[in-house]
Structures are given as structure tokens and as C-alpha cells.
Amino acid sequence: MKFSCGKENLEKYLNIAERFSGKNLTLPILSNIMMETVGNNIKITATNLEHAIQININGKILKEGKICIPAKTINSLIQSLKEDKLDLEEKQNSLILKTLSKEARINGLVSEDFPLIPLIKSNFSLNIDAQELKSGLEKVLPAVAVSDFKPEFTGVYFNFNSSGELKLAATDTFRLAEETIKLDSKKLPDNISFIVPQIISRELTKIINQEPEVKMSLGDNQIIFEVGDIKITSRLIDGGFPEYKNIIPKNFENSAFVNRNELRDIVKTASIFSSKLSDIMLEFQDKEIKIRSANSDLGEYKTALQAKISEGSKNLKLSFNYHYLLDGLNSLDEEDIFIGCNAENSPSLF
């Protein structure tokens, strides 16, 4: 294997590939990436057996071949270099890297030991607007559970319906986020649903740049996302996502419209004085919402926000975790937002 390429592209894609490599002491090959020259492309592959990434990079190919090298080592080396043009060559299972003023040798492993990326027989495929998918994932990801106690809560729920909609949802049982994406296709099979691991959903938001579309292909308990020259293969999360529709309230005793940015700024300030439970209090009154937080060690904060309170609303005090509240407010786009609530211990809708 022998090729030349620019540093910028190689550095960018090696950084992505390293995040997909494994940290497995019993299988050290997983901490490596495969570099292979095929036709006019340099192909980079990384996997931890749960998910994998394959990237095609343009370069000047002088000799075809492949080598398996430590992901962290090659990534750190490329980042340290200043020159733009790189010459790389495989010799006796080592990768020789040269610039105008530097030369390095990285010991490799036998490429035949690198795991094969499984071929997936697609049962369903669809092209999705890349920017809408990225925006939707960014809005629901804050609600994904961190704990693995319930694996079905550690990913993003994808649900396609025959109305031409993709609904993304996530919950950690304390809050629930849902985003609806309108699709061009009106001939979707009804109720195709699955759960994509959080790490893959988050990687998609990082990888999508100016690409117009993401191609999604669904197989048996596996999924492929193709974004430009990048192909991600991942296992899906086993288990059923909860029937959350009944959790979302449809009628409200209290409702209001407020300025999102003003409320967000107030919540940020109030969080300084929140207790160890990270709680702040919202009190709905005639024409305003009073916000209060108190900490016995730090002090107390009070303010009020003008709001359009609906007729018939009652005075109501609600306590919120300010982290959750800020996540929700940051996920909304409009300047004026709706808040609906009922009793003190029932869910509120933003």
C-alpha cells in the first residue's frame, strides 16, 4: 500500500474513526483501524463489534494494499504535523509516514485479523433530509437516559408512519422529548419503529455537515446510515420503547405563552441559587409567572416574567429541575412558546 493525501481530510476522518474503535483488552485489534487503498480511494474502517464506521477519502493511490494500525497513535501523529502533504506506505507490516521534513514508522498488526464488517440485508431504506435529521436528533438527545438500567431508554426512538412522518423520541423517565420530521415519501409502511443507540445518534449530529441527505437502511436488528463518504453500521437496541403518547397531556387547567429567551435567561440566573435538588419554582398568576429559587447556604432569588395567561387559569406553583427545564427550552425554536400544566405533580408540556 502506498498513497499521498492532504493532512486536513485525513486528520478529520481519523478523528471520527478513533471514536468508533474499541477499548477491549482481550481483543486489542479493536483499538486499531484498517487503512486500505482501493481504486482511487483510501478506505478507513473502525469497529468495536457493536458499531462500525467506513470512510472513503480521496488521495493519490500509488499501490494498492492494506494495513491495521493503532487508531490513537496514527491520529495523534497526524494532529502533530504541520505540513499539508503526506506520503504513506506500508512496509513489512509497518506504516511509514513522510513529509518534507519528518518521517515516522508505526508498527501494525496483521490486517487479516481485523473483524469483517457484516453485510446487512436491507428490509427498508429511505433518504432523509440531513439537516432536519440533525436538528431533530439534537433536540431529543438531552432526554436520553444515561443509566443502562433500562436499555430501551438509552437510545433515540425512530417511528415512521404511513402519513409520511418520522417521529423521534427520547426519555429518561423524568422528561420526554419528541420531534416530528415531515418526509417527502408518502408511501411509507405504517409503524416501522426501532431504537438507535445514543452514541450513534450523537455521532450523526457531529458527522452531518452540508450533506443534503442521509440514506438509512434497516436490517434485522441492525441499521446503516450513509452520510456523504461515511457509512455507519450499528446494532439496534433490543426492547420496546414505552407507549408514551398517553403520557403527554392534551388538556390543561393552566396555560400560558411566554418569551422563550427571557424565560431561559431567568432560569439560568435562578439556577445559581437552586438547592441541592437543582429545583426552581414557577408560580402562575394573573398576568405573569413568578420564578423563585432558594438555597440555605447561598441565598434566594425572585423575579417575574410577563406572560399571556389563558382565561380560567388558576394560581399554581410548580417545581422543576432547572437542568431539565433548560434542556427543554434550548430544544425549542420559536420566540414565543406554549406552557401547559395541570396539578403540581402531573406532567407539564412545553
Side-chain angles (χ1 to χ4, degrees):
M1 180 185 74
K2 187 176 182 180
F3 66 91
S4 299
C5 67
K7 179 204 169 190
E8 184 177 352
N9 257 3
L10 187 60
E11 179 181 358
K12 170 187 171 183
Y13 290 123
L14 283 174
N15 187 42
I16 296 171
E18 185 184 353
R19 299 199 296 265
F20 280 76
S21 61
K23 308 290 189 292
N24 194 315
L25 295 178
T26 59
L27 287 172
I29 192 77
L30 296 181
S31 64
N32 288 250
I33 61 168
M34 174 78 78
M35 295 186 73
E36 184 177 4
T37 50
V38 182
N40 296 320
N41 290 322
I42 304 145
K43 185 177 181 181
I44 297 174
T45 305
T47 182
N48 67 357
L49 301 183
E50 290 290 326
H51 47 257
I53 190 165
Q54 296 168 293
I55 306 168
N56 287 319
I57 305 173
N58 291 328
K60 183 179 179 182
I61 309 303
L62 303 174
K63 182 182 178 182
E64 290 195 352
K66 56 186 176 181
I67 188 171
C68 189
I69 49 176
K72 184 176 181 179
T73 303
I74 180 67
N75 194 21
S76 299
L77 175 62
I78 297 297
Q79 289 178 3
S80 71
L81 300 175
K82 303 298 181 184
E83 294 93 335
D84 181 59
K85 185 176 181 295
L86 306 176
D87 296 313
L88 299 97
E89 182 178 7
E90 184 270 334
K91 285 184 178 180
Q92 298 178 341
N93 217 36
S94 293
L95 182 67
I96 310 300
L97 185 148
K98 295 180 181 179
T99 68
L100 289 175
S101 61
K102 297 177 178 66
E103 179 175 333
R105 177 176 60 84
I106 302 175
N107 295 332
L109 296 177
V110 179
S111 57
E112 284 72 18
D113 292 340
F114 194 80
L116 293 174
I117 307 303
L119 297 175
I120 295 179
K121 182 180 179 181
S122 176
N123 301 323
F124 168 66
S125 62
L126 182 72
N127 290 339
I128 305 173
D129 184 280
Q131 301 309 315
E132 289 194 15
L133 179 60
K134 177 179 181 177
S135 175
L137 289 172
E138 288 174 338
K139 290 175 181 177
V140 302
L141 273 167
V144 174
V146 177
S147 170
D148 291 335
F149 177 67
K150 291 187 176 181
E152 60 270 28
F153 292 159
T154 62
V156 175
Y157 176 66
F158 282 59
N159 178 254
F160 295 86
N161 60 48
S162 57
S163 300
E165 293 178 336
L166 164 60
K167 289 189 180 293
L168 304 174
T171 183
D172 59 2
T173 72
F174 295 105
R175 65 266 180 79
L176 168 74
E178 182 191 62
E179 171 75 1
T180 301
I181 299 175
K182 297 289 186 180
L183 302 173
D184 291 335
S185 175
K186 299 296 182 182
K187 298 180 180 179
L188 292 175
D190 196 19
N191 203 31
I192 290 180
S193 60
F194 48 86
I195 306 173
V196 177
Q198 178 189 26
I199 187 172
I200 299 301
S201 301
R202 201 170 295 281
E203 283 296 336
L204 281 171
T205 66
K206 296 176 183 177
I207 290 170
I208 294 172
N209 291 312
Q210 302 303 318
E211 293 82 7
E213 290 185 325
V214 174
K215 181 180 179 181
M216 186 203 75
S217 302
L218 180 66
D220 294 332
N221 201 39
Q222 288 186 311
I223 193 165
I224 293 176
F225 293 101
E226 296 179 63
V227 186
D229 295 323
I230 299 176
K231 181 178 179 181
I232 296 173
T233 304
S234 174
R235 291 184 181 177
L236 297 171
I237 294 177
D238 290 329
F241 201 78
E243 292 292 338
Y244 65 88
K245 289 296 183 181
N246 293 331
I247 300 173
I248 302 175
K250 296 176 176 61
N251 300 305
F252 304 96
E253 293 183 6
N254 287 53
S255 61
F257 284 90
V258 299
N259 183 281
R260 180 182 72 99
N261 291 333
E262 290 180 6
L263 178 58
R264 182 180 60 186
D265 292 343
I266 289 173
V267 172
K268 285 181 180 178
T269 305
S271 69
I272 299 171
F273 295 90
S274 67
S275 71
K276 293 180 180 179
L277 298 176
S278 300
D279 62 320
I280 62 173
M281 185 73 69
L282 271 63
E283 182 177 355
F284 289 75
Q285 293 192 344
D286 292 336
K287 295 182 180 180
E288 62 183 14
I289 299 175
K290 291 186 176 181
I291 296 97
R292 175 182 177 272
S293 59
N295 185 306
S296 57
D297 296 326
L298 300 176
E300 184 181 22
Y301 176 77
K302 293 180 181 179
T303 189
L305 174 65
Q306 293 296 311
K308 297 177 182 178
I309 308 290
S310 62
E311 291 185 10
S313 293
K314 305 173 183 178
N315 287 358
L316 180 65
K317 292 183 180 180
L318 299 171
S319 179
F320 291 98
N321 180 305
Y322 78 84
H323 293 289
Y324 298 165
L325 193 51
L326 285 176
D327 283 341
L329 293 173
N330 287 330
S331 295
L332 301 175
D333 296 326
E334 289 78 9
E335 182 178 351
D336 291 318
I337 63 169
F338 170 86
I339 303 176
C341 48
N342 292 302
E344 180 179 345
N345 295 316
S346 64
S348 298
L349 178 69
F350 287 78

